[in-house]
Amino acid sequence: PKNVSTIMKPLLSQVSINAQESEEREKAIVVGGGPVGLASAIMLANHGYDVSVFEATPTEEIRAFNPALAYLYNVNSMGQVFTTMFPKIHDKLVERAIDSTQIRFMLAPADATKTITYPNMPTVGSEISYWIPRHEMTLLLWDAVDEHNNSRDPNSHVGTIDFEQGVSCV
């Protein structure tokens, strides 16, 4: 992997140059390209920052299912404050996740060859939350970053998001 110091020096000198030029956007660095890092990058870019995301894990490993990171995210009403700010993200969440009206509690069999059946359970209360596997949430947010960069008007105040994969921070 690349060493972050070889990337940071040019970035830091660029930040110094840009600080003198008031018409340039401010820069931000996000360490980690998982769901939290990508959501942070999207928020910063939409607030006018040009963002660089540094991720140690190579792209092909992040996009693959990893049993060590095989847990579900529950995107409840507080999480949906973020997703509804970006309708395409929210639509993909609804499409890819299982909503709380479909499932409440289950025990997954320890045997990976057995099929998991999801019981239908009544909703408790009026709040709908969404359950989504971590790797699917990461892919959803990567799609959102790609859409952000591709649909962004270069003359707007919205910043760009750049990925640096395989970078270790020392």
Side-chain angles (χ1 to χ4, degrees):
K2 301 174 194 172
N3 185 309
V4 78
S5 62
T6 61
I7 293 170
M8 291 296 291
K9 287 178 186 174
L11 280 176
L12 291 175
S13 63
Q14 186 65 39
V15 169
S16 301
I17 292 166
N18 288 343
Q20 297 167 356
E21 301 172 9
S22 60
E23 68 274 5
E24 291 291 324
R25 279 190 283 280
E26 292 189 61
K27 309 287 185 207
I29 295 172
V30 174
V31 178
V36 173
L38 294 173
S40 298
I42 292 168
M43 291 298 293
L44 287 164
N46 278 286
H47 280 90
Y49 291 86
D50 283 335
V51 183
S52 292
V53 178
F54 296 127
E55 172 56 50
T57 308
T59 304
E60 53 280 350
E61 287 181 37
I62 280 192
R63 292 187 180 269
F65 172 76
N66 179 346
L69 299 172
Y71 49 86
L72 297 174
Y73 278 4
N74 179 254
V75 184
N76 61 17
S77 61
M78 292 188 329
Q80 290 174 56
V81 169
F82 168 77
T83 62
T84 55
M85 290 171 65
F86 307 99
K88 288 181 181 179
I89 293 174
H90 189 76
D91 291 346
K92 286 183 180 186
L93 172 70
V94 172
E95 175 187 309
R96 297 180 189 181
I98 296 172
D99 76 52
S100 60
T101 62
Q102 296 175 330
I103 188 166
R104 276 285 173 227
F105 180 109
M106 66 172 286
L107 292 175
D111 183 354
T113 63
K114 291 188 178 181
T115 303
I116 297 175
T117 56
Y118 298 97
N120 283 329
M121 303 290 280
T123 302
V124 177
S126 61
E127 180 181 306
I128 294 179
S129 60
Y130 297 93
W131 291 95
I132 187 166
R134 181 190 187 278
H135 68 286
E136 282 292 330
M137 187 68 177
T138 302
L139 293 175
L140 181 150
L141 289 169
W142 272 26
D143 289 350
V145 167
D146 289 342
E147 284 179 24
H148 168 88
N149 284 337
N150 292 332
S151 66
R152 183 185 148 281
D153 178 359
N155 298 319
S156 74
H157 75 282
V158 176
T160 60
I161 302 171
D162 179 48
F163 290 113
E164 292 289 342
Q165 297 287 151
V167 176
S168 61
C169 296
V170 181

